[in-house]
Amino acid sequence: MENRLICTANEELISDNKNNIFIGDWCLQDTNVKKKIINLNYEICTYHYNENQNKLKNDWLYLHDLYERVIIAITMKLNNYHKKKFSRKYWEIIVGPTIVQLLSVFLDRYETITHLKKNFSINEVAILKYDVSNCVTKDFEDLFENKLDNHFWNNCIFSEILKDSFKIKFVEIDPKNNISLEHKRKNHNIIANLFRCADFFLSKIIKEKILFYKFNKKKILGYMISQLRLSRFYYEFSKNINTKKKIVRKNINLGLSPKNSFEQMLNRKLFNFLPSSHLELFDDINLHLKKIKINPKYIITTFGHVTDDLFKIWTAERVEKNISKLIICSHGGTFENKINFNSWINISDKFITWDKKKNHKCIQLPPTYSLDKKNIENAKKKKILFCTANTNLYAYRIQDYIISSQIKLYLIFWKEFIKKLNLKIKADLIIRHIPNSDPWQLKKEFEKILGYDAISKKKKFLDEVKNSKIIIHTALQTTFFESMLAGVPTVVLLKEELWNIGESGKEIYNLLKKNKIIFEDIDGLIAHLNNITENPFLWWCSKELLDVRKKFHDNICNYKDNKEWDNFFSKLD
């Protein structure tokens, strides 16, 4: 029987009379696909990162170096395209987040195909008919929110790589339904329009020296009130810009000096998938930005430097002319040594972090939100909260974290842990999965073993914290840091040891392992839970643990009061 390769979760691609080879588990995360394959022949290729965890680290190191080379090449290419002479920093502010995502996307898909070719003999690959120009994203927001996990967009990515670098027979199939990848902005409701009107009024009276954009201001409200500073939303950066220019990307080479076959393919294909905001829309965006009459000396943001292309282009212009300084604030805690290939530090004048970093640009300050610790401390604590990790169907960022269908192995690992718990602990267990995001349908899997009532229904993580006497995390992400800040007994179950950690972070990481906060084995954590569950605060508030927690907060997650923020902004003034 012939083998047909299928790369995405589109039921039209499935053959009734051939052996269907699904390139990854993501292909089966669709109800229609699951129904169709019940009585058909099919196999699923293992994920290339499941085979060798060291490969993930090696690929990250490779992309870290490649990112630098691509930024240099794309600076020259975009200057030529737009007939400009801007610096590398200017273009990295604008395109850096896009390149971080697309490099990971292309390498993952390329390695996925390479791994499959080593394990299967393929007679043909089925793809949906597409036009590359229709797969171009409008801006970074469109790429991140609408395309990275979109089956049709990934059909285009896989197809372009296969056609470029792999000799294989193609079967092109018409999509079952009309597919539109056009980016549609959300309609504004009455309340949103009122906010826009208020924002327009404030724009006439506020003369900001420090511009706060997409930045959590709770921590600095005292400072802003004391300085009589007003702030607003800056809707100027959310205007929907369109152009009449046609998307023509053929034969635009990146200009990278390729070192391998992957980079040869990247040279030919990367420009095809850059957002229009970097190319066709760029001049129209600049025309709009010239109308904005804001003149801050400092620009501070937590999310805008990643998500908002209008804001990025406006900021890049001001930084390029040395009119404004860009200050980026980390949105959460992390042990990661180099976030997004160090691009955030590259583009910022100052980078505010929760942890101590050995970089002259980095400043450690407390988190930008406040915890109601008194309310948490007074709450009745009965439950044991188990926080799962989550990931997209399709890999979009190579990092020290769960990637794509690796989640299937982690689910097996978590189920084994739950199965081994004693009945008393299991009865108190509440599973918290990220609200409104469950592409791998993990909640259903946990419902099967613990029941519907064991799944958290609360939207806010801190609402669940108030009811928890112990919190078990499965990743060292922001919720872990929130638990530590809240002062609730906290432990972590990791399937793999972390590798992207700096020297100071590694010291604290090992200290947490030594003192039974971080575990990398199921039996060790279960033994610890059996010892502390009756009264976890006896362990958590022991002198030894208090010393450990203090070292953690001093080095990784500063929890001091607002005065440090006040001092920081006072120095800017």
Side-chain angles (χ1 to χ4, degrees):
M1 183 178 290
E2 290 190 342
N3 288 334
R4 169 179 283 192
L5 174 61
I6 297 170
C7 298
T8 55
N10 298 99
E11 61 172 311
E12 307 96 304
L13 304 177
I14 298 172
S15 172
D16 294 331
N17 53 21
K18 292 182 173 65
N19 187 35
N20 297 285
I21 307 296
F22 293 104
I23 203 168
D25 285 293
W26 54 82
C27 296
L28 280 76
Q29 303 307 310
D30 177 84
T31 303
N32 292 329
V33 170
K34 289 179 179 178
K35 288 179 180 178
K36 189 165 184 176
I37 63 172
I38 290 175
N39 297 314
L40 299 179
N41 295 307
Y42 72 91
E43 297 177 70
I44 307 170
C45 184
T46 57
Y47 191 42
H48 61 104
Y49 288 133
N50 289 355
E51 299 281 304
N52 183 0
Q53 184 67 17
N54 287 330
K55 186 179 186 302
L56 181 60
K57 178 181 179 181
N58 292 335
D59 283 355
W60 182 89
L61 290 169
Y62 167 67
L63 286 182
H64 181 274
D65 293 338
L66 180 60
Y67 173 83
E68 289 294 313
R69 294 167 51 216
V70 169
I71 288 294
I72 292 169
I74 209 165
T75 294
M76 295 177 63
K77 184 61 66 172
L78 289 173
N79 274 330
N80 290 334
Y81 183 92
H82 293 294
K83 296 178 174 58
K84 304 291 185 182
K85 295 182 179 180
F86 291 132
S87 66
R88 169 212 162 122
K89 186 173 183 178
Y90 174 92
W91 286 115
E92 188 169 9
I93 290 172
I94 297 168
V95 306
T98 301
I99 299 304
V100 167
Q101 309 292 334
L102 288 182
L103 287 185
S104 294
V105 167
F106 273 100
L107 182 65
D108 174 76
R109 308 304 185 269
Y110 187 89
E111 291 296 302
T112 297
I113 297 167
T114 301
H115 175 68
L116 174 122
K117 293 279 284 182
K118 292 177 181 177
N119 291 276
F120 290 93
S121 175
I122 300 298
N123 301 102
E124 64 183 32
V125 57
I127 63 171
L128 295 179
K129 292 179 180 178
Y130 67 94
D131 185 328
V132 175
S133 63
N134 293 331
C135 297
V136 173
T137 56
K138 184 168 187 178
D139 49 29
F140 180 86
E141 181 187 33
D142 182 24
L143 171 69
F144 191 78
E145 296 291 338
N146 304 317
K147 302 302 192 295
L148 292 175
D149 243 14
N150 180 280
H151 298 310
F152 187 74
W153 188 81
N154 276 282
N155 168 79
C156 182
I157 293 283
F158 272 115
S159 299
E160 287 294 293
I161 295 173
L162 282 161
K163 289 176 180 178
D164 181 275
S165 304
F166 297 88
K167 291 182 178 180
I168 195 166
K169 176 186 174 183
F170 284 87
V171 177
E172 295 190 354
I173 297 171
D174 290 318
K176 187 175 181 180
N177 301 306
N178 290 327
I179 297 175
S180 174
L181 290 178
E182 182 181 354
H183 180 35
K184 295 181 179 179
R185 299 276 181 179
K186 295 179 181 178
N187 293 324
H188 301 295
N189 56 31
I190 296 174
I191 295 175
N193 287 329
L194 288 174
F195 272 111
R196 282 177 172 269
C197 292
D199 194 64
F200 176 77
F201 171 75
L202 288 172
S203 71
K204 301 300 181 182
I205 61 175
I206 293 177
K207 305 298 179 184
E208 51 277 279
K209 183 177 180 180
I210 305 174
L211 185 149
F212 298 98
Y213 182 71
K214 294 201 172 178
F215 176 79
N216 192 328
K217 303 181 185 71
K218 290 181 182 179
K219 200 72 175 179
I220 60 166
L221 274 178
Y223 164 78
M224 296 183 75
I225 293 170
S226 69
Q227 299 295 313
L228 300 178
R229 293 186 185 275
L230 295 174
S231 185
R232 61 190 187 88
F233 293 101
Y234 300 99
Y235 282 109
E236 298 96 319
F237 301 125
S238 61
K239 184 175 178 60
N240 187 19
I241 308 292
N242 294 303
T243 184
K244 295 180 180 179
K245 293 180 182 177
K246 291 184 178 180
I247 296 174
V248 182
R249 303 285 184 87
K250 291 182 179 179
N251 303 320
I252 301 180
N253 192 287
L254 176 60
L256 184 71
S257 298
K259 295 182 178 181
N260 52 49
S261 57
F262 166 72
E263 292 178 14
Q264 290 172 356
M265 178 276 297
L266 194 70
N267 247 348
R268 295 185 288 267
K269 296 299 178 182
L270 183 65
F271 250 79
N272 289 344
F273 291 92
L274 289 183
S276 294
S277 57
H278 302 348
L279 297 168
E280 295 86 7
L281 279 172
F282 184 77
D283 290 338
D284 297 280
I285 290 172
N286 273 297
L287 284 174
H288 165 70
L289 295 177
K290 285 179 180 180
K291 301 174 186 177
I292 297 177
K293 305 300 181 184
I294 310 172
N295 192 34
K297 188 174 181 180
Y298 300 98
I299 300 166
I300 179 167
T301 183
T302 304
F303 299 102
H305 65 289
V306 176
T307 58
D308 293 28
D309 282 358
L310 268 66
F311 171 76
K312 288 186 284 186
I313 294 170
W314 177 82
T315 299
E317 179 85 9
R318 298 187 65 83
V319 171
E320 182 80 357
K321 294 179 178 179
N322 203 26
I323 300 172
S324 302
K325 300 292 183 184
L326 175 59
I327 301 169
I328 295 174
C329 181
S330 178
H331 70 271
T334 181
F335 275 84
E336 272 191 273
N337 183 32
K338 294 182 178 180
I339 302 170
N340 291 311
F341 311 135
N342 235 28
S343 58
W344 293 359
I345 292 178
N346 291 348
I347 65 174
S348 63
D349 292 285
K350 292 296 179 183
F351 184 56
I352 299 172
T353 67
W354 293 16
D355 60 323
K356 288 181 179 178
K357 291 187 184 293
K358 293 181 179 179
N359 187 295
H360 71 280
K361 287 187 178 182
C362 297
I363 302 171
Q364 184 189 29
L365 287 174
T368 52
Y369 59 85
S370 300
L371 289 169
D372 187 1
K373 291 190 69 174
K374 185 176 180 181
N375 194 10
I376 292 171
E377 289 166 1
N378 292 337
K380 294 180 180 179
K381 300 176 181 296
K382 297 180 180 180
K383 297 298 182 179
I384 297 174
L385 188 64
F386 184 85
C387 300
T388 67
N390 196 25
T391 191
N392 284 39
L393 292 177
Y394 299 90
Y396 71 93
R397 184 154 69 93
I398 305 303
Q399 58 182 323
D400 192 0
Y401 186 65
I402 305 167
I403 307 292
S404 185
S405 59
Q406 281 188 319
I407 196 74
K408 304 285 281 190
L409 297 182
Y410 280 77
L411 178 61
I412 294 170
F413 183 68
W414 298 333
K415 282 182 175 180
E416 183 183 352
F417 165 74
I418 293 171
K419 185 179 179 180
K420 288 187 174 183
L421 291 171
N422 68 49
L423 293 178
K424 190 173 183 181
I425 293 177
K426 196 179 294 186
D428 290 335
L429 201 65
I430 295 292
I431 304 295
R432 179 171 181 83
H433 192 64
I434 296 175
N436 306 320
S437 178
D438 193 13
W440 293 96
Q441 301 177 28
L442 298 186
K443 287 182 183 178
K444 290 183 179 179
E445 294 296 326
F446 286 111
E447 281 183 21
K448 289 176 185 177
I449 56 177
L450 291 171
Y452 177 79
D453 292 338
I455 310 301
S456 172
K457 310 300 186 299
K458 297 184 184 298
K459 290 184 178 180
K460 294 183 179 179
F461 171 68
L462 293 180
D463 289 338
E464 205 67 78
V465 171
K466 294 172 186 177
N467 299 321
S468 304
K469 62 180 180 179
I470 299 172
I471 302 177
I472 304 169
H473 292 274
T474 54
L476 292 175
Q477 298 292 307
T478 299
T479 52
F480 163 73
F481 293 86
E482 290 175 336
S483 298
M484 295 293 284
L485 286 167
V488 178
T490 300
V491 293
V492 184
L493 177 63
L494 299 178
K495 185 176 180 297
E496 304 285 348
E497 184 174 11
L498 300 187
W499 42 263
N500 185 19
I501 306 177
E503 290 182 16
S504 59
K506 188 69 174 177
E507 181 181 344
I508 300 301
Y509 180 83
N510 289 331
L511 185 66
L512 297 182
K513 285 174 65 176
K514 180 181 178 182
N515 287 274
K516 298 183 178 181
I517 293 177
I518 293 177
F519 291 83
E520 291 162 6
D521 69 294
I522 290 172
D523 293 335
L525 176 54
I526 287 177
H528 181 56
L529 289 173
N530 289 339
N531 288 332
I532 70 168
T533 299
E534 286 300 317
N535 192 344
F537 281 91
L538 284 177
W539 162 70
W540 192 243
C541 295
S542 64
K543 184 181 182 305
E544 187 176 12
L545 258 294
L546 288 174
D547 289 342
V548 170
R549 289 163 60 193
K550 184 178 184 305
K551 287 181 180 178
F552 168 81
H553 287 299
D554 287 345
N555 290 277
I556 303 296
C557 189
N558 189 332
Y559 66 145
K560 296 180 181 178
D561 58 26
N562 298 359
K563 290 181 180 179
E564 292 197 30
W565 277 101
D566 293 348
N567 292 336
F568 172 74
F569 288 118
S570 296
K571 290 177 182 178
L572 293 183
D573 288 341

